[in-house]
Amino acid sequence: MIDDRAARRFVLWAGVVLGLLAFAWLFPGLDDVGIAWDEPYYFDSARRIQDWASQVVTGPDRAEQLSQEVVRETLNWRRYWNPHPPAYKLAMAATEATFGRWTGEIVGFRLAPLGFFSLLVACVTWLAGMTWGRAAGIGAGLSILLMPRVVGHAHIGATDTLTTLAWFVASVGFVLYVLNGKRRFLAVGAAALGVALATKFTGYLIPLAMLLWMIAYGRSRRAIAGAVLWGLGGLLVAWALNPLMWHDPVAETLRLVQDSLARSEVIPIATYYMGRVWGYEVPGHHVVVMTLITVPLSILVLSAWGTVVTARHWEDRPVGGLCLTQILFFVALLAAPGSPNHDGVRLWLPMFPFLGVLAGRGFGSALQVARQRIPENRASVAALLLGAVFFIPPYVQTARAAPHYLAYYNEVIGGVQGAANAGMETTYWLEAVTPAFLERIGETLPAGARLAAWPNVENYQWLKHNGMLRDDIVVTEQMPPDYLLLVARRASFQPYHWRIYENVRPELAVEVRGVELAGLYAWEASEEVEPDPEDP
């Protein structure tokens, strides 16, 4: 790590500034993104947690509220759709309870993931800067800040952004302890590991991912002893954060593992990829292809540059080696038979901060090469020009992607239009149905209109119940309706959805670069489509 005190102070403040910039930039649009598929379950669960916590703090029978029966009733609510440990819901409950009266309820819940993302930007900046210098730190922070898919998830109240932050901090904390022996890094890493374990089953894979790094760099007594303390500390933190663990932690841990490993049988989510619908399993190249077409091209170039520099000096680049081993782990894991790959890049979101750190390493190296070839008095100009070349394009792309960040595809495939033509899924999580689009629907539908929706009609029933759809609109599963709200998650399409999507002009539509993400169809017009005799 860098020894210059001034440089270390600069890197620390650069991380703080970029983290605050991330928060300030994204906060105004926090409620512009539509309510994603899982959010209603998580928001309602957070409300239940708020009520339960209020009873624990001020209720007449606090001991009863902490009983196993009440805790399970509160935190095991709708386990089928809401199976994860509760750390992220506890965080959302806390931010909404603290700020919701000023921001509104939805923004109050979403402040938690935005806060986690802002902290992630700061941490990525700090790690790259402390390891390779100021330019690398700023380059890394900007790289993660300007990945539209990662930014999109920072707007959504779900498990993914907290898992991404916790994975990064847990692995980095352990590595820094092994490298310099400072116990505070081990403590922070263990606490972050506990947060990851208390957020999602994915967190239980972190120790497995770290084995690759330990084989390359951590074959020492300190590393082995640290790994044991790190793992045990993580378990204790996870059990402390998860009230479900308080009464029978071993049984609850086993139940979480069993539920997670059985997802292919319980919820076999399909994926639309390369022009066809795949079941729970997709081709092994899916993780690589999707990464290469959903990260801005200039950041991919910088990451490749950083990878080359790290690989050339593998033995003395343990932080770069951490990034490479983490990326290799996710590629191998997602390519393995039986691994879930649905929902775009969501399931390997924790890989992207490491990609950002490598991009920062690449930017620092590129600037160093440029400085060797130009007069010293022009070094600042060179830094500004390189920064503009590499970071203005992804900034423009991220800004233009709002609020449809999860529909972003890069220049490699020709943007969202090229992706649609290539048979890639352009929307998957219902977030394309924005509040602005719901308002247009309310202005269009006649009084008492019967509205069917596909997929996940429950989402729209929740929207109506929470005042985001007009109260007189009848949201129904019964066919035929007056209108059909069709989200273009093509993996879920039945044959007649395809025929409507391809042949009927919607009354209203959400479009990005000419690609329809969601449409409101009058059923009378849909009935005019020629039926398919093989349609069940």
Side-chain angles (χ1 to χ4, degrees):
M1 304 188 87
I2 58 175
D3 296 322
D4 186 336
R5 179 175 294 181
R8 293 163 70 96
R9 188 180 299 114
F10 176 91
V11 167
L12 176 62
W13 280 107
V16 171
V17 169
L18 282 178
L20 292 174
L21 176 64
F23 191 94
W25 181 32
L26 301 180
F27 175 77
L30 203 53
D31 58 351
D32 291 342
V33 175
I35 302 297
W37 192 305
D38 295 336
E39 282 189 291
Y41 309 113
Y42 300 160
F43 290 164
D44 288 349
S45 186
R47 290 170 181 152
R48 294 171 69 89
I49 289 171
Q50 289 174 337
D51 294 340
W52 171 74
S54 176
Q55 290 297 314
V56 169
V57 174
T58 63
D61 194 352
R62 301 177 188 180
E64 176 64 21
Q65 296 300 318
L66 296 175
S67 68
Q68 186 174 31
E69 182 181 354
V70 173
V71 167
R72 282 189 172 177
E73 182 182 347
T74 301
L75 297 174
N76 247 0
W77 176 76
R78 298 201 71 176
R79 187 180 184 90
Y80 180 84
W81 290 109
N82 190 13
H84 307 294
Y88 67 104
K89 290 174 283 190
L90 292 169
M92 291 195 300
T95 56
E96 197 283 327
T98 304
F99 302 106
R101 72 191 70 178
W102 297 291
T103 64
E105 188 178 54
I106 301 302
V107 172
F109 286 132
R110 286 177 167 179
L111 279 174
L114 179 57
F116 297 140
F117 175 70
S118 302
L119 183 56
L120 176 65
V121 171
C123 290
V124 166
T125 303
W126 180 85
L127 177 67
M130 293 295 285
T131 306
W132 297 304
R134 302 176 184 184
I138 293 174
L142 289 174
S143 293
I144 193 67
L145 177 56
L146 300 177
M147 293 183 187
R149 294 279 184 131
V150 182
V151 168
H153 282 284
H155 290 71
I156 295 172
T159 62
D160 306 289
T161 300
L162 179 54
T163 302
T164 300
L165 169 66
W167 187 301
F168 184 79
V169 175
S171 56
V172 169
F174 173 71
V175 165
L176 294 182
Y177 168 74
V178 173
L179 295 181
N180 60 36
K182 294 182 179 179
R183 295 177 182 175
R184 65 175 180 269
F185 288 126
L186 185 64
V188 171
L193 176 62
V195 172
L197 298 177
T199 301
K200 198 173 186 178
F201 170 73
T202 306
Y204 286 82
L205 302 177
I206 299 176
L208 185 61
M210 292 306 298
L211 280 177
L212 295 175
W213 185 86
M214 288 188 67
I215 291 170
Y217 300 101
R219 290 172 293 181
S220 66
R221 290 183 179 179
R222 179 194 291 170
I224 295 170
V228 173
L229 293 173
W230 177 72
L232 291 175
L235 279 177
L236 290 176
V237 171
W239 291 351
L241 287 175
N242 185 356
L244 289 168
M245 298 284 190
W246 294 350
H247 295 277
D248 196 348
V250 175
E252 184 60 32
T253 301
L254 291 175
R255 184 160 61 155
L256 171 65
V257 172
Q258 291 167 357
D259 283 355
S260 301
L261 294 181
R263 298 286 280 180
S264 61
E265 301 172 7
V266 177
I267 310 178
I269 301 172
T271 299
Y272 185 71
Y273 176 63
M274 290 190 169
R276 61 164 285 189
V277 177
W278 302 82
Y280 193 75
E281 295 186 24
V282 299
H285 48 72
H286 177 260
V287 57
V288 175
V289 171
M290 285 297 294
T291 300
L292 292 177
I293 62 178
T294 58
V295 175
L297 180 59
S298 61
I299 295 176
L300 284 177
V301 170
L302 288 176
S303 298
W305 193 321
T307 297
V308 170
V309 173
T310 298
R312 288 175 59 188
H313 304 281
W314 178 269
E315 67 286 348
D316 62 349
R317 294 287 188 269
V319 173
L322 170 68
C323 296
L324 292 183
T325 53
Q326 295 296 298
I327 292 169
L328 288 172
F329 173 79
F330 276 102
V331 170
L333 175 68
L334 274 297
S339 292
N341 278 256
H342 54 80
D343 290 359
V345 301
R346 182 170 71 88
L347 298 188
W348 63 93
L349 211 63
M351 184 186 80
F352 288 93
F354 300 102
L355 206 63
V357 173
L358 287 176
R361 177 71 180 103
F363 182 68
S365 177
L367 188 56
Q368 187 177 21
V369 170
R371 284 172 171 167
Q372 292 172 354
R373 287 165 169 75
I374 61 173
E376 187 175 344
N377 60 353
R378 297 183 181 177
S380 297
V381 175
L384 289 174
L385 287 175
L386 275 179
V389 167
F390 284 109
F391 296 117
I392 286 181
Y395 165 73
V396 172
Q397 292 169 17
T398 304
R400 289 180 67 191
H404 304 295
Y405 301 101
L406 302 191
Y408 171 80
Y409 285 91
N410 66 14
E411 311 93 315
V412 173
I413 199 170
V416 65
Q417 201 167 33
N421 294 336
M424 300 296 182
E425 194 77 278
T426 52
T427 187
Y428 61 86
W429 225 12
L430 307 186
E431 84 296 333
V433 182
T434 62
F437 187 57
L438 290 172
E439 186 174 342
R440 291 172 61 200
I441 290 174
E443 294 169 353
T444 301
L445 294 187
R450 298 176 69 256
L451 175 67
W454 185 267
N456 192 7
V457 70
E458 276 194 13
N459 187 276
Y460 304 97
Q461 293 167 341
W462 186 93
L463 291 173
K464 176 184 172 180
H465 179 73
N466 285 270
M468 300 178 73
L469 263 178
R470 243 182 36 221
D471 190 58
D472 64 285
I473 295 172
V474 180
V475 181
T476 180
E477 294 180 286
Q478 295 182 354
M479 305 294 282
D482 298 321
Y483 291 86
L484 171 67
L485 176 54
L486 181 63
V487 173
R489 179 176 176 141
R490 290 180 279 185
S492 72
F493 275 10
Q494 300 298 321
Y496 72 92
H497 295 131
W498 277 108
R499 294 199 302 278
I500 293 170
Y501 184 71
E502 294 176 343
N503 298 292
V504 182
R505 184 178 182 83
E507 300 282 312
L508 301 171
V510 176
E511 291 186 349
V512 176
R513 313 291 178 264
V515 176
E516 182 186 325
L517 304 183
L520 177 70
Y521 294 86
W523 190 254
E524 288 183 358
S526 303
E527 287 182 319
E528 295 174 4
V529 177
E530 185 69 24
D532 187 336
E534 296 183 2
D535 193 357

